[in-house]
Amino acid sequence: MEQTYSKGFYQYAMQYGTYLGIFWAVMYIMLFKFPTSPMVSMTAMAMFFCSPFLACRFAVNFRKKECADYIKYPQAWTFLFCMYICATLFSTLTNYIFFNIIDQGQFLMEFNDMVSQLISTPGIDEITKAQFEDMQDLLSRLTASDITWQFLNNNIFNSLILPPAIALFVRKIS
């Protein structure tokens, strides 16, 4: 049975990609809004490591519902790639809204303050202190758009790397 790329194929990829994008948006907001809370940060990191498994679960659901539990590797890869691109677009939009409208530079200021505290730590060697000062200089030049573009680049890179690997586990040959 040959899988054809139908309208439903891409609609399901967009639907599951939106779900994955919402998952990423919640993860990013937890990470950026509460950087000093260890519990929330650990939860966000756990969500980060669980997201490929969630993507795999979505693709398996698609395979079982729409493909009669049969999907070849190219179709699985294409479905996952489209899903990741939709998730990337959704999470980038929410990151942009968060950094430009909601946060208004608060995250960067908090991170800069944490680096300042590290610099003022007694007993720190000069090389490490210089590295922290360079980091502080870099943070002072960052804008919300720069951060958003960096996350977009990272997510696109993940969209190129993860779907081929996940598709190996999603495909099912009769």
Side-chain angles (χ1 to χ4, degrees):
M1 176 173 141
E2 184 64 31
Q3 167 75 36
T4 59
Y5 295 132
S6 65
K7 187 177 176 181
F9 180 87
Y10 293 110
Q11 285 177 342
Y12 274 104
M14 288 189 302
Q15 177 184 353
Y16 287 131
T18 302
Y19 296 157
L20 186 62
I22 290 168
F23 186 78
W24 287 355
V26 169
M27 174 192 68
Y28 285 136
I29 289 171
M30 288 172 64
L31 197 60
F32 299 135
K33 191 66 177 164
F34 307 103
T36 57
S37 172
M39 185 64 167
V40 175
S41 295
M42 292 292 282
T43 303
M45 292 308 295
M47 289 173 74
F48 174 76
F49 288 115
C50 288
S51 71
F53 297 103
L54 182 63
C56 183
R57 185 69 193 152
F58 287 154
V60 168
N61 284 346
F62 170 75
R63 181 190 75 203
K64 287 180 180 178
K65 276 185 178 177
E66 297 298 316
C67 300
D69 206 24
Y70 169 81
I71 192 169
K72 291 183 180 179
Y73 179 81
Q75 287 84 16
W77 179 85
T78 304
F79 180 81
L80 284 160
F81 179 74
C82 292
M83 186 172 69
Y84 263 82
I85 291 299
C86 290
T88 296
L89 293 173
F90 188 86
S91 68
T92 300
L93 177 66
T94 57
N95 286 342
Y96 182 79
I97 291 169
F98 176 78
F99 282 120
N100 282 321
I101 298 171
I102 298 169
D103 185 60
Q104 297 180 350
Q106 186 67 30
F107 172 74
L108 289 174
M109 290 188 320
E110 286 180 21
F111 199 66
N112 202 359
D113 290 343
M114 290 186 332
V115 172
S116 294
Q117 290 175 359
L118 290 172
I119 290 172
S120 63
T121 303
I124 193 169
D125 63 0
E126 291 301 316
I127 295 172
T128 307
K129 187 175 183 177
Q131 289 174 342
F132 283 138
E133 288 171 349
D134 289 343
M135 183 187 296
Q136 194 172 31
D137 182 48
L138 177 67
L139 285 172
S140 66
R141 288 183 279 148
L142 280 178
T143 65
S145 295
D146 293 336
I147 295 172
T148 304
W149 278 107
Q150 185 61 43
F151 280 110
L152 175 64
N153 290 336
N154 289 340
N155 287 341
I156 288 174
F157 180 73
N158 287 336
S159 296
L160 295 173
I161 299 298
L162 291 175
I166 297 170
L168 289 171
F169 300 100
V170 172
R171 71 186 170 105
K172 191 168 186 182
I173 302 169
S174 59

